[in-house]
Amino acid sequence: MITPKPLLRRQLNLATRHQLAASGIPDGTITSRTRPGGPWQRLLPRVYLLQTGPPDHRQRALAAVLYAAEPAADPLSGETAVLTGAAALALLGIRDVPHTPADVLVRAPRRLTGIPEVRPLATARWPRTIAVSGVPSTRPVRAAADFASRAGDPARIRSTLAHVVQAGWCHPQDLHAELRAARLLTRPAIRAAASELVAGVRSIAEALARDTLTATDLPTPLWNARLYTPDGTFLASPDAYWPDEGVALEIDSAEYHYTRDAWHATLLRRLCLESHGILVISATPSMIRDTPTEVIAALRTLLTLATTRPTPPTAQARGHQQLAFPLGW
């Protein structure tokens, strides 16, 4: 008997029963080798790991695709089964999303029995696919939309979509278009998260700040606007910026300031902003959550002072505009 080594190299030491049989391995051999203590493991129905050590998260993700792919098809082609949702986002490094159960798209009208580890999703909108760490997956924008369609917690939807955009895996306008194509913008939680991202919000901390500011009579800021000096040199991109008043809000999380270099970079960014006439308020997410009145009072004071300044700020905001949301969303 010859173990199908080229196949195993392509498939992270995984193979389906159909593939093993096509390689000339008898059913009896498969059964004997997957007994307790044997050299192989049965990860899922008809899917085997041909090694003794435990599977890693990539192997578990690919095993879900192998389970869902049509037996005679090349499972790595992305033509009959492809990873999506939380499992696909986890492969991309998005935080706080579960690896299992894995959502796997299959072409409608095909139906496949789900198991605790795999949730097959039949779709008539077959996506463009990519390979992530050797696993056929949807593009991040589709994975994010499919995640939102299955997630029930509004806070989790908000956080995860923000992480996908903040990490640069997709543009907020592309995500909005995908959510609209999937008819998901009728759901209040998804629509709210999408509106924040198109408005420029890129994190949960910024979303909390936006909620806080929206409840006041303060002017609407630009979120993550890119500021430039008069000669075109990039200056900074504050979390919130009021261009008419030259006031910036920086939300500084302790998570990103554990090191001296990170803290130094934050102070240097603030000095650069202030050197160009921008008034800066710094607050942590916990301050915005627990003491919003003080944060709003400080902002109100600076916004009022800014209108009487003899010297306006020299920085210019580019590359961003507040976008109106049509009623037909």
Side-chain angles (χ1 to χ4, degrees):
M1 181 201 70
I2 300 176
T3 302
K5 292 182 180 179
L7 175 69
L8 298 185
R9 282 195 295 268
R10 291 182 67 231
Q11 295 184 180
L12 308 178
N13 275 354
L14 291 161
T16 66
R17 178 175 285 272
H18 180 86
Q19 291 172 330
L20 293 174
S23 299
I25 299 176
D27 282 351
T29 300
I30 298 173
T31 300
S32 65
R33 292 198 165 204
T34 53
R35 290 191 177 117
W40 296 354
Q41 306 170 54
R42 177 182 175 275
L43 286 191
L44 300 174
R46 306 181 304 281
V47 179
Y48 302 91
L49 178 64
L50 277 62
Q51 68 182 46
T52 56
D56 60 24
H57 69 277
R58 291 191 311 146
Q59 290 171 320
R60 290 193 181 280
L62 183 55
V65 175
L66 295 179
Y67 170 80
E70 293 184 359
D74 176 6
L76 299 188
S77 69
E79 290 297 322
T80 64
V82 63
L83 196 70
T84 192
L89 296 178
L91 281 182
L92 296 173
I94 301 300
R95 297 177 299 169
D96 301 326
V97 289
H99 292 281
T100 57
D103 289 329
V104 181
L105 294 180
V106 297
R107 290 183 184 272
R110 180 172 172 239
R111 290 288 183 266
L112 183 68
T113 302
I115 56 177
E117 300 87 352
V118 184
R119 294 188 298 192
L121 306 176
T123 180
R125 289 195 316 117
W126 196 253
R128 292 169 55 190
T129 63
I130 59 175
V132 180
S133 299
V135 182
S137 304
T138 61
R139 293 184 303 154
V141 66
R142 177 64 180 269
D146 286 338
F147 166 82
S149 72
R150 303 298 293 267
D153 181 4
R156 176 62 63 84
I157 293 172
R158 190 184 207 186
S159 174
T160 299
L161 296 188
H163 284 160
V164 173
V165 171
Q166 186 181 43
W169 289 116
C170 68
H171 190 277
Q173 290 284 11
D174 293 334
L175 179 57
H176 164 257
E178 182 64 37
L179 293 169
R180 181 172 57 187
R183 300 182 179 180
L184 293 173
L185 291 175
T186 56
R187 302 185 189 181
I190 296 176
R191 175 172 174 156
S195 68
E196 289 173 349
L197 293 172
V198 176
V201 174
R202 295 292 180 271
S203 71
I204 272 296
E206 292 174 13
L208 177 61
R210 184 172 185 259
D211 286 346
T212 302
L213 293 173
T214 300
T216 73
D217 60 350
L218 295 180
T220 301
L222 301 179
W223 293 94
N224 292 286
R226 296 177 64 82
L227 305 186
Y228 293 84
T229 62
D231 66 2
T233 301
F234 175 71
L235 181 60
S237 181
D239 296 304
Y241 182 61
W242 287 261
D244 293 337
E245 295 83 3
V247 173
L249 170 64
E250 289 277 70
I251 306 170
D252 298 324
S253 173
E255 177 182 357
Y256 299 103
H257 297 105
Y258 282 141
T259 68
R260 178 181 176 180
D261 289 345
W263 182 243
H264 182 268
T266 296
L267 294 180
L268 181 60
R269 184 174 69 251
R270 176 167 182 158
L271 284 176
C272 289
L273 289 169
E274 292 176 336
S275 70
H276 287 81
I278 296 172
L279 304 177
V280 182
I281 285 183
S282 295
T284 64
S286 62
M287 290 177 184
I288 295 172
R289 182 186 65 244
D290 301 332
T291 58
T293 302
E294 287 77 0
V295 175
I296 293 301
L299 282 171
R300 192 183 303 279
T301 298
L302 283 195
L303 289 169
T304 301
L305 289 174
T307 60
T308 61
R309 283 193 293 171
T311 304
T314 59
Q316 301 172 350
R318 301 179 190 169
H320 182 77
Q321 59 181 345
Q322 294 292 81
L323 301 176
F325 295 96
L327 295 178
W329 256 33

